Amino acid sequence: QRLRDVDAVQSVLKQIGSSQNITLTRLARNRRVLFVEDEYDFGVIRRFARQLEYVELATASEITAVRSEGFSSWERVQALGWGISRTLGQQLSIGAIFDRDYWCDEQIGDVLSKLRSTITYAHIHDRKEIENYLLVPSVLTRAIDESSRERLRRGEASGVSGPPTEEDVRALLAQLTDPLRGDVQAQHVARRLEFLRKQGSKLDPATITAETIAIFERRWLDIGSRMEIVPGKDVLSAFRAKAQSLFSVTLTDHRIIGAFRRGDVPAVL
């Protein structure tokens, strides 16, 4: 359906998932629309931008962020890519950032190719959710240590144990995620089987399953790469609770991201 006016654009935005009112004036001013999972995700991106001194992104002064319904909305975002520019009679930069969830590499590549044919910028995280980018053992160790030092400077009692080493943090993350192994593996296998079947793959399901399990096992054995594929929201929440009970520290996003050094930040979030 052709979009004929700003009201029609707003209607489509609501269908994609946004309840935000995007006015012609605002779009005309910054000419950049970025679809994100939700306000929390955009907040994390902005905190990383501030840490890396990307001022315009950190302040969001030149971007209109619009909430999507996540990965499932990618086709509607793709269709909107050409429609919104024609409706407003000017060139707009439209971008979209989605969580990876459990989608397989083949599907990620297929979706990105289609999105990039109609919008300016398309990105799907390399890790399951944006929270997974906070699950870096060395950074978490540093964040706990800095919080503990602040407590000591304020004269507050420390937790039941002293600040952990990085190996302690790695062991704690392994303990928290070991029970998730079967479910995460099953999700990876199921999603890849489903996508390749729909694509008409001639590979035997047993072969696809074996390949997927082998890839999964390699990533699971290393705690760093394991933190990329586990459910980030749940693991981060559980780790924060443990940090509070063991070390009497509160690990906010601000605290964790502030503990990142440039070398800790992946080339692409």
Short mmCIF file of all heavy atoms in Angstrom, two decimals, residues 185-224:
data_model
loop_
_atom_site.label_atom_id
_atom_site.label_comp_id
_atom_site.label_asym_id
_atom_site.label_seq_id
_atom_site.Cartn_x
_atom_site.Cartn_y
_atom_site.Cartn_z
N GLN A 185 21.24 -25.11 23.16
CA GLN A 185 21.62 -25.98 22.03
C GLN A 185 20.39 -26.36 21.20
O GLN A 185 20.42 -26.30 19.97
CB GLN A 185 22.31 -27.24 22.53
CG GLN A 185 22.78 -28.17 21.42
CD GLN A 185 23.29 -29.49 21.96
OE1 GLN A 185 22.54 -30.42 22.19
NE2 GLN A 185 24.60 -29.56 22.20
N ALA A 186 19.32 -26.73 21.88
CA ALA A 186 18.10 -27.13 21.17
C ALA A 186 17.55 -25.99 20.32
O ALA A 186 17.06 -26.21 19.21
CB ALA A 186 17.05 -27.60 22.18
N GLN A 187 17.62 -24.78 20.85
CA GLN A 187 17.13 -23.61 20.10
C GLN A 187 17.94 -23.40 18.82
O GLN A 187 17.39 -23.12 17.75
CB GLN A 187 17.20 -22.36 20.98
CG GLN A 187 16.22 -22.34 22.13
CD GLN A 187 14.82 -21.98 21.69
OE1 GLN A 187 14.57 -21.71 20.52
NE2 GLN A 187 13.88 -21.99 22.62
N HIS A 188 19.25 -23.52 18.93
CA HIS A 188 20.11 -23.35 17.76
C HIS A 188 19.81 -24.40 16.70
O HIS A 188 19.72 -24.09 15.50
CB HIS A 188 21.58 -23.42 18.17
CG HIS A 188 22.11 -22.15 18.74
ND1 HIS A 188 22.76 -21.20 17.97
CD2 HIS A 188 22.09 -21.65 20.00
CE1 HIS A 188 23.11 -20.18 18.73
NE2 HIS A 188 22.71 -20.42 19.96
N VAL A 189 19.66 -25.64 17.12
CA VAL A 189 19.37 -26.72 16.17
C VAL A 189 18.01 -26.51 15.51
O VAL A 189 17.88 -26.61 14.28
CB VAL A 189 19.43 -28.09 16.88
CG1 VAL A 189 18.91 -29.19 15.95
CG2 VAL A 189 20.84 -28.41 17.34
N ALA A 190 17.00 -26.21 16.31
CA ALA A 190 15.64 -26.06 15.78
C ALA A 190 15.54 -24.92 14.77
O ALA A 190 14.92 -25.07 13.70
CB ALA A 190 14.66 -25.84 16.93
N ARG A 191 16.16 -23.77 15.09
CA ARG A 191 16.05 -22.62 14.19
C ARG A 191 16.77 -22.88 12.87
O ARG A 191 16.29 -22.49 11.80
CB ARG A 191 16.62 -21.37 14.86
CG ARG A 191 15.86 -20.92 16.10
CD ARG A 191 14.42 -20.51 15.77
NE ARG A 191 13.66 -20.22 16.97
CZ ARG A 191 13.60 -19.04 17.57
NH1 ARG A 191 14.29 -18.03 17.08
NH2 ARG A 191 12.87 -18.88 18.65
N ARG A 192 17.92 -23.53 12.93
CA ARG A 192 18.66 -23.79 11.69
C ARG A 192 17.95 -24.83 10.83
O ARG A 192 17.85 -24.68 9.60
CB ARG A 192 20.09 -24.23 12.00
CG ARG A 192 20.98 -24.32 10.75
CD ARG A 192 22.44 -24.31 11.09
NE ARG A 192 23.25 -24.27 9.88
CZ ARG A 192 23.99 -25.29 9.45
NH1 ARG A 192 24.04 -26.42 10.15
NH2 ARG A 192 24.69 -25.20 8.34
N LEU A 193 17.42 -25.87 11.46
CA LEU A 193 16.67 -26.88 10.73
C LEU A 193 15.46 -26.25 10.03
O LEU A 193 15.19 -26.53 8.85
CB LEU A 193 16.19 -27.98 11.68
CG LEU A 193 17.19 -29.08 12.04
CD1 LEU A 193 16.64 -29.93 13.18
CD2 LEU A 193 17.50 -29.95 10.81
N GLU A 194 14.75 -25.41 10.75
CA GLU A 194 13.55 -24.79 10.20
C GLU A 194 13.86 -23.90 9.01
O GLU A 194 13.20 -23.96 7.97
CB GLU A 194 12.84 -23.97 11.28
CG GLU A 194 11.57 -23.28 10.80
CD GLU A 194 10.94 -22.41 11.87
OE1 GLU A 194 11.61 -22.14 12.91
OE2 GLU A 194 9.79 -21.98 11.69
N PHE A 195 14.90 -23.06 9.14
CA PHE A 195 15.22 -22.15 8.04
C PHE A 195 15.70 -22.90 6.81
O PHE A 195 15.24 -22.62 5.69
CB PHE A 195 16.29 -21.14 8.49
CG PHE A 195 16.70 -20.21 7.39
CD1 PHE A 195 15.85 -19.18 6.97
CD2 PHE A 195 17.92 -20.36 6.73
CE1 PHE A 195 16.22 -18.32 5.94
CE2 PHE A 195 18.28 -19.51 5.70
CZ PHE A 195 17.43 -18.48 5.30
N LEU A 196 16.62 -23.85 6.98
CA LEU A 196 17.15 -24.57 5.83
C LEU A 196 16.07 -25.41 5.15
O LEU A 196 16.08 -25.58 3.94
CB LEU A 196 18.34 -25.43 6.26
CG LEU A 196 19.58 -24.66 6.72
CD1 LEU A 196 20.71 -25.61 7.08
CD2 LEU A 196 20.05 -23.69 5.63
N ARG A 197 15.12 -25.94 5.93
CA ARG A 197 14.02 -26.69 5.35
C ARG A 197 13.17 -25.77 4.45
O ARG A 197 12.81 -26.14 3.34
CB ARG A 197 13.15 -27.30 6.44
CG ARG A 197 11.93 -28.05 5.92
CD ARG A 197 11.09 -28.59 7.06
NE ARG A 197 10.60 -27.52 7.94
CZ ARG A 197 9.56 -26.74 7.66
NH1 ARG A 197 8.90 -26.88 6.52
NH2 ARG A 197 9.18 -25.81 8.52
N LYS A 198 12.87 -24.56 4.95
CA LYS A 198 12.07 -23.62 4.17
C LYS A 198 12.81 -23.17 2.91
O LYS A 198 12.17 -22.81 1.91
CB LYS A 198 11.72 -22.40 5.02
CG LYS A 198 10.69 -22.70 6.11
CD LYS A 198 10.36 -21.45 6.91
CE LYS A 198 9.29 -21.73 7.96
NZ LYS A 198 8.99 -20.52 8.76
N GLN A 199 14.14 -23.16 2.98
CA GLN A 199 14.93 -22.75 1.82
C GLN A 199 15.11 -23.89 0.82
O GLN A 199 15.75 -23.71 -0.22
CB GLN A 199 16.31 -22.26 2.28
CG GLN A 199 16.28 -21.00 3.13
CD GLN A 199 15.72 -19.81 2.38
OE1 GLN A 199 14.59 -19.41 2.61
NE2 GLN A 199 16.51 -19.25 1.48
N GLY A 200 14.56 -25.05 1.15
CA GLY A 200 14.66 -26.20 0.24
C GLY A 200 16.00 -26.89 0.26
O GLY A 200 16.41 -27.52 -0.73
N SER A 201 16.72 -26.81 1.38
CA SER A 201 18.02 -27.45 1.49
C SER A 201 17.91 -28.96 1.29
O SER A 201 16.97 -29.61 1.76
CB SER A 201 18.63 -27.17 2.87
OG SER A 201 19.83 -27.91 3.04
N LYS A 202 18.86 -29.52 0.55
CA LYS A 202 18.88 -30.96 0.30
C LYS A 202 19.69 -31.72 1.35
O LYS A 202 19.81 -32.94 1.29
CB LYS A 202 19.46 -31.23 -1.09
CG LYS A 202 18.58 -30.66 -2.22
CD LYS A 202 19.17 -30.97 -3.58
CE LYS A 202 18.28 -30.40 -4.69
NZ LYS A 202 18.84 -30.67 -6.05
N LEU A 203 20.24 -30.97 2.33
CA LEU A 203 20.99 -31.62 3.40
C LEU A 203 20.05 -32.43 4.27
O LEU A 203 18.93 -32.02 4.58
CB LEU A 203 21.72 -30.58 4.25
CG LEU A 203 22.95 -29.90 3.64
CD1 LEU A 203 23.46 -28.83 4.58
CD2 LEU A 203 24.04 -30.92 3.36
N ASP A 204 20.52 -33.59 4.67
CA ASP A 204 19.75 -34.45 5.57
C ASP A 204 19.63 -33.76 6.94
O ASP A 204 20.60 -33.17 7.42
CB ASP A 204 20.46 -35.80 5.72
CG ASP A 204 19.70 -36.74 6.62
OD1 ASP A 204 18.70 -37.30 6.17
OD2 ASP A 204 20.11 -36.89 7.79
N PRO A 205 18.44 -33.81 7.57
CA PRO A 205 18.28 -33.20 8.90
C PRO A 205 19.31 -33.66 9.91
O PRO A 205 19.76 -32.88 10.75
CB PRO A 205 16.87 -33.62 9.30
CG PRO A 205 16.15 -33.79 8.02
CD PRO A 205 17.17 -34.35 7.06
N ALA A 206 19.70 -34.92 9.84
CA ALA A 206 20.71 -35.43 10.78
C ALA A 206 22.05 -34.75 10.56
O ALA A 206 22.78 -34.45 11.52
CB ALA A 206 20.86 -36.94 10.61
N THR A 207 22.38 -34.47 9.30
CA THR A 207 23.63 -33.78 8.98
C THR A 207 23.60 -32.35 9.49
O THR A 207 24.58 -31.86 10.09
CB THR A 207 23.87 -33.78 7.46
OG1 THR A 207 23.93 -35.13 6.99
CG2 THR A 207 25.16 -33.05 7.12
N ILE A 208 22.48 -31.67 9.27
CA ILE A 208 22.33 -30.29 9.75
C ILE A 208 22.44 -30.26 11.28
O ILE A 208 23.12 -29.39 11.84
CB ILE A 208 20.98 -29.71 9.30
CG1 ILE A 208 20.92 -29.62 7.77
CG2 ILE A 208 20.75 -28.34 9.93
CD1 ILE A 208 19.56 -29.22 7.24
N THR A 209 21.78 -31.20 11.93
CA THR A 209 21.82 -31.25 13.40
C THR A 209 23.24 -31.46 13.90
O THR A 209 23.69 -30.77 14.82
CB THR A 209 20.91 -32.39 13.92
OG1 THR A 209 19.56 -32.14 13.50
CG2 THR A 209 20.97 -32.47 15.43
N ALA A 210 23.96 -32.40 13.28
CA ALA A 210 25.34 -32.68 13.71
C ALA A 210 26.24 -31.48 13.50
O ALA A 210 27.06 -31.13 14.37
CB ALA A 210 25.88 -33.89 12.93
N GLU A 211 26.09 -30.80 12.36
CA GLU A 211 26.90 -29.60 12.08
C GLU A 211 26.62 -28.51 13.11
O GLU A 211 27.54 -27.87 13.63
CB GLU A 211 26.58 -29.07 10.69
CG GLU A 211 27.12 -29.87 9.54
CD GLU A 211 26.72 -29.28 8.19
OE1 GLU A 211 25.89 -28.35 8.17
OE2 GLU A 211 27.26 -29.76 7.18
N THR A 212 25.35 -28.29 13.39
CA THR A 212 24.96 -27.23 14.31
C THR A 212 25.45 -27.52 15.72
O THR A 212 25.94 -26.61 16.41
CB THR A 212 23.42 -27.07 14.31
OG1 THR A 212 22.96 -26.93 12.97
CG2 THR A 212 23.01 -25.83 15.10
N ILE A 213 25.35 -28.75 16.16
CA ILE A 213 25.82 -29.12 17.49
C ILE A 213 27.33 -28.92 17.59
O ILE A 213 27.84 -28.43 18.62
CB ILE A 213 25.43 -30.58 17.83
CG1 ILE A 213 23.92 -30.67 18.05
CG2 ILE A 213 26.18 -31.07 19.07
CD1 ILE A 213 23.41 -32.08 18.27
N ALA A 214 28.07 -29.29 16.55
CA ALA A 214 29.53 -29.13 16.56
C ALA A 214 29.91 -27.65 16.70
O ALA A 214 30.81 -27.30 17.47
CB ALA A 214 30.13 -29.72 15.29
N ILE A 215 29.22 -26.78 15.95
CA ILE A 215 29.48 -25.34 16.05
C ILE A 215 29.15 -24.84 17.44
O ILE A 215 29.91 -24.08 18.05
CB ILE A 215 28.66 -24.57 14.99
CG1 ILE A 215 29.11 -24.95 13.58
CG2 ILE A 215 28.77 -23.06 15.20
CD1 ILE A 215 28.20 -24.46 12.48
N PHE A 216 28.01 -25.28 17.95
CA PHE A 216 27.57 -24.86 19.29
C PHE A 216 28.57 -25.29 20.36
O PHE A 216 28.93 -24.49 21.24
CB PHE A 216 26.20 -25.46 19.59
CG PHE A 216 25.77 -25.29 21.02
CD1 PHE A 216 25.17 -24.11 21.44
CD2 PHE A 216 25.99 -26.29 21.96
CE1 PHE A 216 24.79 -23.94 22.76
CE2 PHE A 216 25.61 -26.13 23.28
CZ PHE A 216 25.01 -24.95 23.69
N GLU A 217 29.04 -26.53 20.30
CA GLU A 217 29.94 -27.04 21.32
C GLU A 217 31.24 -26.26 21.38
O GLU A 217 31.78 -25.99 22.46
CB GLU A 217 30.24 -28.53 21.07
CG GLU A 217 29.06 -29.45 21.31
CD GLU A 217 28.61 -29.47 22.78
OE1 GLU A 217 29.43 -29.17 23.66
OE2 GLU A 217 27.42 -29.75 23.02
N ARG A 218 31.76 -25.88 20.21
CA ARG A 218 33.00 -25.09 20.18
C ARG A 218 32.81 -23.76 20.89
O ARG A 218 33.69 -23.30 21.62
CB ARG A 218 33.46 -24.86 18.73
CG ARG A 218 34.06 -26.09 18.07
CD ARG A 218 34.83 -25.70 16.82
NE ARG A 218 33.96 -25.14 15.79
CZ ARG A 218 33.32 -25.86 14.87
NH1 ARG A 218 33.46 -27.18 14.86
NH2 ARG A 218 32.58 -25.28 13.95
N ARG A 219 31.66 -23.13 20.69
CA ARG A 219 31.40 -21.83 21.31
C ARG A 219 31.11 -21.99 22.81
O ARG A 219 31.46 -21.13 23.60
CB ARG A 219 30.24 -21.14 20.61
CG ARG A 219 30.50 -20.89 19.13
CD ARG A 219 29.48 -19.94 18.54
NE ARG A 219 29.71 -18.57 19.01
CZ ARG A 219 28.95 -17.54 18.67
NH1 ARG A 219 27.89 -17.73 17.90
NH2 ARG A 219 29.21 -16.33 19.13
N TRP A 220 30.46 -23.08 23.18
CA TRP A 220 30.08 -23.27 24.58
C TRP A 220 31.28 -23.55 25.47
O TRP A 220 31.32 -23.14 26.63
CB TRP A 220 29.06 -24.40 24.69
CG TRP A 220 28.44 -24.49 26.06
CD1 TRP A 220 28.83 -25.29 27.10
CD2 TRP A 220 27.32 -23.73 26.54
NE1 TRP A 220 28.03 -25.09 28.19
CE2 TRP A 220 27.09 -24.14 27.87
CE3 TRP A 220 26.49 -22.76 25.96
CZ2 TRP A 220 26.06 -23.58 28.64
CZ3 TRP A 220 25.47 -22.23 26.72
CH2 TRP A 220 25.26 -22.64 28.05
N LEU A 221 32.29 -24.24 24.94
CA LEU A 221 33.44 -24.64 25.75
C LEU A 221 34.24 -23.44 26.24
O LEU A 221 34.83 -23.48 27.31
CB LEU A 221 34.34 -25.59 24.95
CG LEU A 221 33.79 -27.00 24.76
CD1 LEU A 221 34.70 -27.82 23.86
CD2 LEU A 221 33.60 -27.71 26.11
N ASP A 222 34.28 -22.37 25.45
CA ASP A 222 35.00 -21.16 25.85
C ASP A 222 34.02 -20.21 26.53
O ASP A 222 33.00 -19.86 25.94
CB ASP A 222 35.62 -20.49 24.63
CG ASP A 222 36.33 -19.19 24.99
OD1 ASP A 222 37.42 -19.26 25.56
OD2 ASP A 222 35.75 -18.11 24.73
N ILE A 223 34.33 -19.78 27.75
CA ILE A 223 33.37 -18.97 28.51
C ILE A 223 33.12 -17.62 27.83
O ILE A 223 32.01 -17.07 27.92
CB ILE A 223 33.83 -18.77 29.97
CG1 ILE A 223 32.66 -18.30 30.85
CG2 ILE A 223 35.00 -17.80 30.04
CD1 ILE A 223 31.56 -19.30 30.98
N GLY A 224 34.11 -17.10 27.13
CA GLY A 224 33.92 -15.83 26.44
C GLY A 224 32.90 -15.93 25.33
O GLY A 224 31.96 -15.13 25.24
#
